[in-house]
Amino acid sequence: MKNLGFALGIFLIAFTTQAQEEEKVTVTVTVENVLNDNGNVLISLHNNETFMKGPGVIDLQEKAVKGAVTVTFKDITPGTYAVMVLHDENDNKRMDFEANGMPKESYGVSGNVMAMGPPSFTDSKFEVANKDLNLAIRF
């Protein structure tokens, strides 16, 4: 009887592990309208707790290529997320500003919100379910 219970326990653990692996998806982000090849494009996947507060849940970077850059976030658990993008032309890993407070470098967020002032998670959020997702963000 103990062997049956042990075997059943192993089966359930294997089944649960497989089910958890199946829940994870990829989110592919294409950043459009990259103006030049200078520096890198920084792309961050955020949840409500990390949005506009520092590093994202996952942070990626790709060499800037005039036209478009594509990255893929892998093994993403379903939930609510937003993506923030910065063309870090001088490769200093931060957004640079003019004396009047306006950004010097191109940036964007999921949802392609073009509001005056900083973006909000509410306007930028999207849902990750059980299917792979493709997003386009335009500078």
Side-chain angles (χ1 to χ4, degrees):
M1 192 68 173
K2 286 183 182 180
N3 287 340
L4 178 61
F6 180 75
L8 183 58
I10 295 297
F11 173 77
L12 289 175
I13 289 170
F15 181 79
T16 304
T17 302
Q18 183 178 359
Q20 288 174 351
E21 288 175 7
E22 290 175 355
E23 288 179 4
K24 301 209 176 191
V25 298
T26 61
V27 176
T28 302
V29 178
T30 300
V31 182
E32 302 171 342
N33 200 33
V34 179
L35 299 178
N36 58 54
D37 297 335
N38 299 337
N40 290 293
V41 177
L42 309 178
I43 305 103
S44 296
L45 181 70
H46 290 270
N47 59 27
N48 191 35
E49 289 77 39
T50 65
F51 190 80
M52 296 293 290
K53 296 176 185 149
V57 175
I58 301 173
D59 300 306
L60 301 175
Q61 75 175 23
E62 190 70 28
K63 176 74 179 114
V65 176
K66 185 175 181 178
V69 170
T70 300
V71 299
T72 301
F73 295 97
K74 297 179 182 179
D75 298 325
I76 306 303
T77 302
T80 305
Y81 297 94
V83 173
M84 298 177 69
V85 181
L86 170 67
H87 184 180
D88 186 16
E89 291 189 50
N90 61 3
D91 208 22
N92 66 353
K93 307 291 186 249
R94 63 183 183 89
M95 180 180 275
D96 296 313
F97 295 92
E98 299 286 351
N100 65 3
M102 295 299 293
K104 285 184 178 180
E105 298 166 310
S106 300
Y107 69 95
V109 294
S110 46
N112 292 308
V113 179
M114 301 302 273
M116 295 300 286
S120 73
F121 184 78
T122 301
D123 291 337
S124 307
K125 69 182 178 180
F126 58 91
E127 294 296 322
V128 173
N130 57 355
K131 292 184 190 176
D132 292 346
L133 187 62
N134 294 304
L135 301 172
I137 298 176
R138 186 169 175 82
F139 280 143

